[in-house]
């Protein structure tokens, strides 16, 4: 094994958590590499506007992501653009395998792979993805200017994306399966005050239909009366939560029933030296600021872990300066 393939820390995932972990790891003088298969920034890249990240009253998700990435890169962080195919824990070191067959060995690993949009699993959803079915209003909203769309879901994502679409579309319906939104009160207020948005309470989408120009209607079902009807729409935007991207979580790692990894207060899993942060970690709320905070915690904890490991192996390593702040 070439010494250059051995790291103090491998960070898997380049969202706010992974990038923040990288900043703290570089400041702790750890030999660090961050592996990301797509673009850095994570889910926030797809947010139209972010208004609750400390220090920014109003910023686009794309700009915030760019700033996170630039900040991490200012420390000359090594980044690899590859898919990770496996994370194999070991007693002496952990092994991270990449799609191009490269193998990285590391004392510590931070897993920051986040989550992916949940699917409705109704007829037409998969078939008409990209032809009227979307999971990102910021990406696809432009194509629905002056048209009618339905947003599915009642959480913060559905609310934010509906408000974004209401600026572009002729009409936005929100189909929510209950009679109360889960979204934060401030977003609820904005929705109720937006005359371009109509709530479809106690309503689920049962099927998505399309003609030659793409989606043209959805089947709806009232969850209280079981009454069914059709609604003419040109687009269906689905925001019903997300599934954790836990494919790389090693067997034997403690997870909850939703597939989120359970860690201790240092974000460390039950495998020493393997940390899980951000949306993949079980927590009360999933917010950008919390992912960043997890990244800080895990990197500082990993620095101590790596130092102890190296001491045992007769090497030396700098301890993080940032714990003294
Ligand atoms: P979420 O909070 O889990 O909300 C999912 C919504 O979809 C819920 O209203 C849920 O209904 C509904 N739903 C779930 N499965 C469904 C199904 N099969 N059919 C129909 N409806 C279904 O997900 P999210 O909105 O994506 O937010 C995820 C996390 O990110 C949350 O913690 C949220 O606060 C956070 N977030 C924050 C911001 C922000 O602060 N700016 C923005 C976006 C997201 P029920 O209510 O009946 O369960």
């Amino acid at each position: 094994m070439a010494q250059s393939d051995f790291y103090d820390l491998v960070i898997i995932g380049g969202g706010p958590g992974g990038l923040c972990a990288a900043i703290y790891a570089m400041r702790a003088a750890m030999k660090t590499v961050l592996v990301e298969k797509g673009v850095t920034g994570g889910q926030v890249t797809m947010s139209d506007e972010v208004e609750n990240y400390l220090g920014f009253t109003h910023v686009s998700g794309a700009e915030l992501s760019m700033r996170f990435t630039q900040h991490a890169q200012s420390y000359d962080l090594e980044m690899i653009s590859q898919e990770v195919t496996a994370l194999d824990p070991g007693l002496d070191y952990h092994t991270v395998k990449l799609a191009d067959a490269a193998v990285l060995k590391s004392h510590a690993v931070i897993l920051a792979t986040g989550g992916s949009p949940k699917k409705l699993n109704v007829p037409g959803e998969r078939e008409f993805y990209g032809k009227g079915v979307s999971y990102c209003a910021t990406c696809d909203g432009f194509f629905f200017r002056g048209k009618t769309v339905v947003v599915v879901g009642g959480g913060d994502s559905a609310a934010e994306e509906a408000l974004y679409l209401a600026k572009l579309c002729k009409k936005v319906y929100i189909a929510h399966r209950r009679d109360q939104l889960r979204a934060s009160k401030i977003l609820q207020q904005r929705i109720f005050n937006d005359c371009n948005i109509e709530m479809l309470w106690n309503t689920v989408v049962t099927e998505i239909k399309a003609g030659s120009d793409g989606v043209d209607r959805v089947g709806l079902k009232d969850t209280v009366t079981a009454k069914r009807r059709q609604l003419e729409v040109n687009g269906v935007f689905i925001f019903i939560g997300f599934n954790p991207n836990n494919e790389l979580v090693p067997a034997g790692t403690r997870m909850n029933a939703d597939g989120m990894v359970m860690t201790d207060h240092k974000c460390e899993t039950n495998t020493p030296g393997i940390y899980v942060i951000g949306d993949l970690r079980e927590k009360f709320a999933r917010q950008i600021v919390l992912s960043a905070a997890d990244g800080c915690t895990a990197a500082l904890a990993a620095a101590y872990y790596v130092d102890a490991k190296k001491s045992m192996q007769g090497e030396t390593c700098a301890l993080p300066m940032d714990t003294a702040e």
Side-chain angles (χ1 to χ4, degrees), residues 109-132:
V109 175
I110 294 178
L111 203 46
T113 46
S116 314
K118 261 189 191 166
K119 308 289 182 290
L120 271 177
N121 293 322
V122 296
E125 181 181 19
R126 183 194 284 253
E127 196 180 345
F128 304 125
Y129 173 63
K131 295 173 189 155

Side-chain angles (χ1 to χ4, degrees), residues 43 47 49-52 118-121 152-161 175-178 180-184 187 203-205 239-242 279 284-288:
Q43 291 180 93
S47 280
E49 290 166 15
V50 178
E51 296 178 345
N52 55 5
K118 261 189 191 166
K119 308 289 182 290
L120 271 177
N121 293 322
V152 186
D156 282 333
S157 299
E160 280 189 350
E161 305 294 317
H176 182 40
R177 62 184 178 182
R178 292 189 292 133
Q180 262 187 341
L181 291 173
R182 182 183 289 275
S184 61
L187 290 175
T203 301
V204 289
V205 170
F239 304 104
I240 57 168
F242 70 96
D279 288 350
F284 171 67
R286 291 191 290 277
Q287 298 288 314
I288 306 165

Side-chain angles (χ1 to χ4, degrees), residues 180-253:
Q180 262 187 341
L181 291 173
R182 182 183 289 275
S184 61
K185 293 285 181 242
I186 189 165
L187 290 175
Q188 292 195 30
Q189 257 171 20
R190 288 182 199 167
I191 281 186
F192 300 147
N193 288 337
D194 194 317
C195 50
N196 217 10
I197 299 179
E198 181 177 335
M199 287 301 309
L200 304 173
W201 297 111
N202 301 316
T203 301
V204 289
V205 170
T206 54
E207 61 176 341
I208 301 167
K209 299 269 194 185
S212 52
D213 291 336
V215 166
D216 57 13
R217 65 193 189 282
V218 288
L220 301 178
K221 183 181 164 193
D222 189 304
T223 55
V224 178
T225 63
K227 215 169 140 190
R228 291 174 184 269
R229 68 180 171 111
Q230 303 270 311
L231 180 71
E232 285 187 12
V233 291
N234 310 107
V236 186
F237 286 81
I238 301 164
F239 304 104
I240 57 168
F242 70 96
N243 291 316
N245 292 331
N246 56 15
E247 296 80 6
L248 294 173
V249 175
T253 304

Side-chain angles (χ1 to χ4, degrees), residues 83-105:
E83 182 168 7
V84 173
T85 53
L87 163 58
D88 297 329
L91 282 179
D92 289 336
Y93 55 80
H94 306 305
T95 305
V96 174
K97 294 178 180 157
L98 307 186
D100 66 356
V103 173
L104 312 174
K105 304 202 168 179

Side-chain angles (χ1 to χ4, degrees), residues 3-313:
Q3 189 58 34
S4 60
D5 294 331
F6 203 110
Y7 291 88
D8 291 332
L9 176 65
V10 174
I11 300 168
I12 305 172
L19 291 168
C20 189
I23 289 168
Y24 277 85
M26 295 302 285
R27 290 172 63 82
M30 283 198 281
K31 184 172 180 331
T32 303
V33 63
L34 185 148
V35 189
E36 164 62 55
K37 68 174 173 183
V39 289
T40 53
Q43 291 180 93
V44 64
T45 315
M46 296 200 288
S47 280
D48 176 38
E49 290 166 15
V50 178
E51 296 178 345
N52 55 5
Y53 190 77
L54 192 67
F56 293 86
T57 46
H58 191 90
V59 63
S60 74
E63 185 184 344
L64 195 57
S65 300
M66 188 189 69
R67 284 175 179 247
F68 289 161
T69 305
Q70 286 173 345
H71 192 172
Q73 283 174 332
S74 72
Y75 287 94
D76 291 330
L77 170 71
E78 181 182 347
M79 292 171 89
I80 297 178
S81 182
Q82 270 290 323
E83 182 168 7
V84 173
T85 53
L87 163 58
D88 297 329
L91 282 179
D92 289 336
Y93 55 80
H94 306 305
T95 305
V96 174
K97 294 178 180 157
L98 307 186
D100 66 356
V103 173
L104 312 174
K105 304 202 168 179
S106 182
H107 286 302
V109 175
I110 294 178
L111 203 46
T113 46
S116 314
K118 261 189 191 166
K119 308 289 182 290
L120 271 177
N121 293 322
V122 296
E125 181 181 19
R126 183 194 284 253
E127 196 180 345
F128 304 125
Y129 173 63
K131 295 173 189 155
V133 175
S134 170
Y135 303 90
C136 176
T138 320
C139 320
D140 300 328
F142 184 77
F143 303 112
F144 295 86
R145 280 170 306 156
K147 297 188 173 174
T148 299
V149 299
V150 61
V151 167
V152 186
D156 282 333
S157 299
E160 280 189 350
E161 305 294 317
L163 287 163
Y164 175 77
L165 289 166
K167 289 185 261 172
L168 299 169
C169 300
K170 185 168 78 179
K171 173 98 185 173
V172 176
Y173 294 99
I174 299 180
H176 182 40
R177 62 184 178 182
R178 292 189 292 133
D179 62 356
Q180 262 187 341
L181 291 173
R182 182 183 289 275
S184 61
K185 293 285 181 242
I186 189 165
L187 290 175
Q188 292 195 30
Q189 257 171 20
R190 288 182 199 167
I191 281 186
F192 300 147
N193 288 337
D194 194 317
C195 50
N196 217 10
I197 299 179
E198 181 177 335
M199 287 301 309
L200 304 173
W201 297 111
N202 301 316
T203 301
V204 289
V205 170
T206 54
E207 61 176 341
I208 301 167
K209 299 269 194 185
S212 52
D213 291 336
V215 166
D216 57 13
R217 65 193 189 282
V218 288
L220 301 178
K221 183 181 164 193
D222 189 304
T223 55
V224 178
T225 63
K227 215 169 140 190
R228 291 174 184 269
R229 68 180 171 111
Q230 303 270 311
L231 180 71
E232 285 187 12
V233 291
N234 310 107
V236 186
F237 286 81
I238 301 164
F239 304 104
I240 57 168
F242 70 96
N243 291 316
N245 292 331
N246 56 15
E247 296 80 6
L248 294 173
V249 175
T253 304
R254 288 178 63 223
M255 288 199 265
N256 69 13
D258 296 326
M260 313 279 179
V261 175
M262 296 155 84
T263 71
D264 65 11
H265 66 289
K266 292 182 291 185
C267 296
E268 192 169 21
T269 66
N270 53 323
T271 303
I274 296 188
Y275 301 81
V276 167
I277 65 172
D279 288 350
L280 178 57
R281 185 170 87 83
E282 182 188 55
K283 53 160 70 85
F284 171 67
R286 291 191 290 277
Q287 298 288 314
I288 306 165
V289 69
L290 294 180
S291 293
D294 277 2
C296 160
T297 302
L300 293 177
Y304 275 98
Y305 173 85
V306 171
D307 187 55
K309 196 96 185 157
K310 284 183 170 179
S311 297
M312 281 193 301
Q313 294 171 357

